[in-house]
Amino acid sequence: MTLSTQFYTMLAMVGMGSWLGAALDTYGRFLQRPKRARWLVFINDIFFWALQGLLFFYSLLMVNEGEFRVYILLAVLCGFAAYQSLIKKIYLWILEKAIQITIQTYRLFLKIGRILLINPVYWIFQMIFLLILGILKFLWNILIWLFKFVFSFVKILLKPLVLIGKLLVFLIPKSWRNRITQIYKKIAGFLIKRKNVLDKLSSWYTRLWKKK
C-alpha cells in the first residue's frame, strides 16, 4: 500500500467516523427508543449496524481494495470524536430544522389538497344531497296534496249519497240500518286514520327538512 493510498484511506475513515456519528444521531432521532418496543428496536439496530458495516467495507474497497489496518480504527475514532466535538450541535440543529420544514411542507400540501380536492367533492355531494331532498320534498307535497284533493272530492261525491242514505234509512229495517251504520263508521274511521298518518309523516318530514 503506497503512502498516497494510506493517506486517502485515513481521510476516508475519518469521514466515515464523522458519518457514523451523524448516522447515530439521525437514527436515534427518528427511532425514539423509549417509545418503541424492544424487539422492534433490536431489529432496527441489526439493520442499522449491518448497513454501516457495508458502507465501511465499500469505502475501504474503493480506497485501498479492502485492506484493513489498525490505524483505520484510529482514523474512525478520530472522525467520530471530531464530529462529537465540532459538528454534532450544528448537525442536530440542521436536522431539526429540516424535519420541521418537511413536516410544515407536508401539512401545507395536505391543506392544499383538502382545499382543492376534498372540499369541492364534499360540496358537490352536499349539493346533490340537498337537491335530492328538495325533489323528494316536492314529490311528497304533491302526494299529500293529491291525497287531500281526492279525499275532499270523495267526500263531496259521497255527500249527496249520504243525504239520500239518511232519507232512505228510515225505510230500511232496523237490523240492516245498524249494519250499514257500522260499515259506514268503519270506512270513515279508516279514511281518517290514513289522513292522520299522512299528516304526521308530512310534519315529520317538514321538521327533518328544516334541520337539514
Side-chain angles (χ1 to χ4, degrees):
M1 186 184 299
T2 62
L3 289 176
S4 60
T5 303
Q6 293 180 11
F7 177 72
Y8 292 142
T9 303
M10 289 285 291
L11 288 179
M13 291 302 101
V14 169
M16 290 304 297
S18 299
W19 159 261
L20 180 61
L24 281 172
D25 286 335
T26 306
Y27 175 65
R29 172 63 178 81
F30 285 101
L31 181 62
Q32 297 181 355
R33 292 175 181 273
K35 298 181 181 180
R36 299 288 183 265
R38 291 184 178 180
W39 64 270
L40 185 60
V41 173
F42 177 73
I43 294 174
N44 286 324
D45 287 344
I46 291 176
F47 281 110
F48 174 78
W49 287 110
L51 178 62
Q52 300 308 313
L54 290 174
L55 289 175
F56 272 84
F57 178 75
Y58 180 76
S59 299
L60 283 176
L61 187 65
M62 295 297 294
V63 175
N64 64 359
E65 297 182 354
E67 293 185 14
F68 182 78
R69 296 289 188 272
V70 177
Y71 64 82
I72 290 176
L73 293 178
L74 296 176
V76 172
L77 291 176
C78 288
F80 185 80
Y83 167 80
Q84 293 291 329
S85 60
L86 301 175
I87 308 174
K88 182 175 182 177
K89 292 183 179 180
I90 299 174
Y91 174 75
L92 290 178
W93 182 82
I94 294 174
L95 179 63
E96 289 297 329
K97 291 297 180 181
I99 292 173
Q100 292 177 6
I101 292 172
T102 303
I103 293 174
Q104 290 175 0
T105 304
Y106 172 73
R107 290 176 178 174
L108 177 63
F109 277 108
L110 279 182
K111 190 173 182 180
I112 293 173
R114 189 182 299 112
I115 293 173
L116 297 179
L117 297 176
I118 298 177
N119 287 345
V121 173
Y122 173 76
W123 292 334
I124 290 172
F125 276 105
Q126 189 175 19
M127 292 298 295
I128 293 173
F129 180 71
L130 292 176
L131 180 62
I132 293 173
L133 283 180
I135 294 172
L136 291 176
K137 183 182 179 182
F138 177 73
L139 295 176
W140 181 260
N141 290 333
I142 291 176
L143 181 63
I144 295 297
W145 181 82
L146 286 175
F147 179 80
K148 290 181 178 179
F149 176 78
V150 172
F151 185 77
S152 301
F153 185 72
V154 171
K155 283 178 65 177
I156 293 172
L157 290 179
L158 291 178
K159 201 165 187 179
L161 297 177
V162 171
L163 294 175
I164 295 172
K166 287 181 178 180
L167 294 175
L168 296 176
V169 73
F170 297 102
L171 302 177
I172 299 174
K174 189 174 182 179
S175 59
W176 285 37
R177 191 188 311 166
N178 294 333
R179 184 64 177 171
I180 293 172
T181 303
Q182 292 177 359
I183 294 173
Y184 174 77
K185 289 181 179 179
K186 287 182 180 180
I187 294 174
F190 176 79
L191 293 176
I192 291 172
K193 286 181 180 179
R194 293 299 176 272
K195 183 176 181 299
N196 292 334
V197 170
L198 287 175
D199 290 338
K200 289 181 180 179
L201 289 175
S202 178
S203 61
W204 173 81
Y205 185 80
T206 303
R207 290 196 302 269
L208 180 63
W209 174 258
K210 289 181 179 179
K211 289 181 180 180
K212 295 294 183 181

